[in-house]
Amino acid sequence: MNPADQPTPNTENPSVHIQAVTAEQILDSRGFPTVEVGLTLDDGTTHAASAPAGASTGAFEAVELRDGGTAHSGRGVLHAVAGIIDEIQPALIDQSWSSLSDVDHAMRALDGTPNLARLGANAVVAVSIATARAFAAQSEQPLHRWIASLTGSAELMPVPHFNVLNGGAHASNDLDFQEFMIAPVGASSEAEAVQTGAEIYHALAARIRAEYGTTGLGDEGGFAPALSNPEAALDLLMAAITDAGYTPGLQDVAIAIDPAANGFYDGAGQYRLNGQTITREQLATYYTTLLANYPLRSIEDGFAEDDHEGWKLLFTQAGDHTQLVGDDLFVTDAARITDGAIQGYANAALIKPNQIGTVTDTLAAIAAARQNRMAGMVSHRSGETGDTFIADLVVGTGVGQIKSGAPARGERVAKYNRLTHIEATTSGLAYGLGTDRQGKRS
Ligand code: PGA
Ligand code: ZN
């Protein structure tokens, strides 16, 4: 074993003493403002973090604070920045914190709303992530290992789900489904999975260039050609996987989709798909046809966040063999995940720290999924920064799956590169989906 893999953790439960909190408005990957923070500790070290931002956000998510007005089309975060400096900083400095959850609870109490609307989840999540980094540094462990110790999890290198074709709210084509992902389930390591994803991405680019003349991109770095229906997208993916020399299949390179059905829900159990209005029953049948025809291992937000009947329908039809992931449905909320398990809506939960607002609550959501024998998938947002926290989060909690967009564009590959770096510098980390799942098709 490499000696670098064996940190000598400071076992005296090191506390964190915050001396100053700085905050700035920066730009995210879409060119909209977001929050970056820096914590300076009394030992002189600084720990930074920044907040991502969604476009197809769920109604039950923690709320971002945006300035309104004309600057940046109303999307400025100067009030969120001021709240960090004027309110969060005085509440956190000049005392010793013995746990991240104490810091997170203090920020929640200071905010005083159920969804962090006053100080802004964009402000709070950035401070929370920077604080997690401060605790990891104080305990002299890499962030992923500190998370594993904190949560009592076995570390695991996750199967990346590369979003290579974009539609819905993330692209300007006519594709109703938002994300088409490839998952190198059969790879033997993170490095091999990343190579597989990148090679297929380039094969896909070549095909799209030949067939459509241009390779426009969606928000998550996937291509956004003028595809008009999901089957056309899936056929293109199958061909690209083969072109790159891989085998499409549930045990090899599997496919996952995020229809993000809020985006084409008409209400009252009706969906507007491929130019037609269909019922939730027809949509469920449509998914089961796709499952029969493609190596589709996972469907995320197949129904709208409040169409519980639709969720139950597909869960009954496909939940024993297909991963059905709640994103807008669960919004990384432990209580909503537990309720979803009881009701039989889904067998997996998407995990986005900024959707619930603190790292502590994110870890609670992962624990709730695990207790309910649900799988988890850690996720970026469509608006991202170079922050790589989610890579350490997925390894440290052993969740086994991550999605961070295409294997291209700096803000997306920052996470994949962090994963391969963790793998390369830590011995003994297995790669795979893990054992949490009950609804498995692979
Ligand atoms: P968002 O999309 O970040 O725009 O919400 C990601 C997703 O729906 O999974
Ligand atoms: Zn989603």
Side-chain angles (χ1 to χ4, degrees), residues 26-75:
I26 61 168
L27 291 182
D28 72 13
S29 58
R30 269 193 284 255
F32 288 126
T34 190
V35 176
E36 179 169 71
V37 306
L39 299 187
T40 304
L41 306 189
D42 61 353
D43 63 4
T45 59
T46 60
H47 305 277
S50 51
S56 63
T57 48
F60 304 103
E61 292 196 23
V63 173
E64 295 176 329
L65 188 60
R66 298 277 178 189
D67 295 338
T70 53
H72 291 290
S73 311
R75 299 182 61 87

Side-chain angles (χ1 to χ4, degrees), residues 92-435:
L92 299 189
I93 59 172
D94 297 332
Q95 58 176 305
S96 283
W97 296 95
S98 59
S99 76
L100 171 64
S101 64
D102 285 351
V103 174
D104 286 342
H105 288 143
M107 286 195 286
R108 254 195 203 286
L110 181 66
D111 175 82
T113 71
N115 53 10
L116 298 174
R118 197 180 71 78
L119 293 169
N122 43 353
V124 172
V125 81
V127 177
S128 182
I129 290 170
T131 306
R133 289 201 167 103
F135 272 101
Q138 290 296 100
S139 70
E140 295 167 16
Q141 299 181 86
L143 183 55
H144 57 92
R145 180 136 311 153
W146 178 78
I147 292 171
S149 316
L150 181 69
T151 57
S153 311
E155 290 173 278
L156 179 65
M157 297 309 304
V159 173
H161 289 60
F162 299 105
N163 179 13
V164 292
L165 282 174
N166 295 181
H170 295 168
S172 49
N173 55 16
D174 291 331
L175 210 45
D176 296 308
F177 288 6
Q178 180 177 281
E179 301 172 21
F180 295 82
M181 293 168 270
I182 46 171
V185 174
S188 58
S189 67
E190 198 73 39
E192 194 181 307
V194 168
Q195 179 184 337
T196 304
E199 289 176 357
I200 295 170
Y201 182 76
H202 293 298
L204 184 61
R207 251 185 195 269
I208 293 173
R209 233 177 269 122
E211 289 176 33
Y212 298 89
T214 164
T215 55
L217 294 184
D219 286 358
E220 298 188 351
F223 303 114
L227 295 161
S228 53
N229 62 66
E231 284 94 333
L234 291 165
D235 289 339
L236 197 53
L237 273 193
M238 299 288 284
I241 294 168
T242 309
D243 287 351
Y246 294 94
T247 309
L250 293 171
Q251 313 291 343
D252 293 292
V253 179
I255 296 177
I257 55 173
D258 178 6
N262 278 351
F264 54 95
Y265 189 48
D266 269 356
Q270 309 261 304
Y271 292 83
R272 185 90 196 141
L273 183 65
N274 301 337
Q276 290 183 320
T277 299
I278 60 171
T279 63
R280 61 165 71 93
E281 288 77 13
Q282 288 171 312
L283 182 58
T285 303
Y286 182 67
Y287 289 135
T288 54
T289 306
L290 295 182
L291 286 168
N293 294 336
Y294 299 95
L296 198 54
R297 64 172 307 274
S298 180
I299 302 176
E300 177 185 327
D301 281 355
F303 296 86
E305 63 202 359
D306 53 3
D307 182 15
H308 296 146
E309 292 310 309
W311 281 95
K312 282 202 243 183
L313 203 58
L314 190 62
F315 187 80
T316 308
Q317 292 171 4
D320 61 339
H321 56 72
T322 302
Q323 177 169 272
L324 303 173
V325 188
D327 170 12
D328 294 339
L329 178 71
F330 293 148
V331 293
T332 317
D333 181 325
R336 293 181 68 89
I337 290 169
T338 301
D339 180 58
I342 293 165
Q343 305 291 337
Y345 296 154
N347 54 31
L350 203 73
I351 301 295
K352 294 167 163 170
N354 83 320
Q355 221 171 22
I356 190 70
T358 69
V359 174
T360 299
D361 290 305
T362 303
L363 297 176
I366 292 171
R370 194 160 269 161
Q371 272 155 22
N372 288 290
R373 297 188 56 240
M374 281 191 187
M377 186 187 294
V378 169
S379 171
H380 67 155
R381 300 306 303 249
S382 52
E384 265 296 339
T385 70
D387 195 296
T388 58
F389 176 75
I390 59 168
D392 285 79
L393 176 67
V394 71
V395 175
T397 53
V399 154
Q401 304 181 79
I402 189 170
K403 64 171 197 174
S404 177
R409 291 184 40 155
E411 76 283 2
R412 311 296 148 187
V413 299
K415 283 68 161 172
Y416 298 129
N417 290 342
R418 172 69 185 155
L419 287 173
T420 51
H421 176 76
I422 291 171
E423 183 175 73
T425 54
T426 316
S427 53
L429 291 188
Y431 167 84
L433 294 165
T435 53

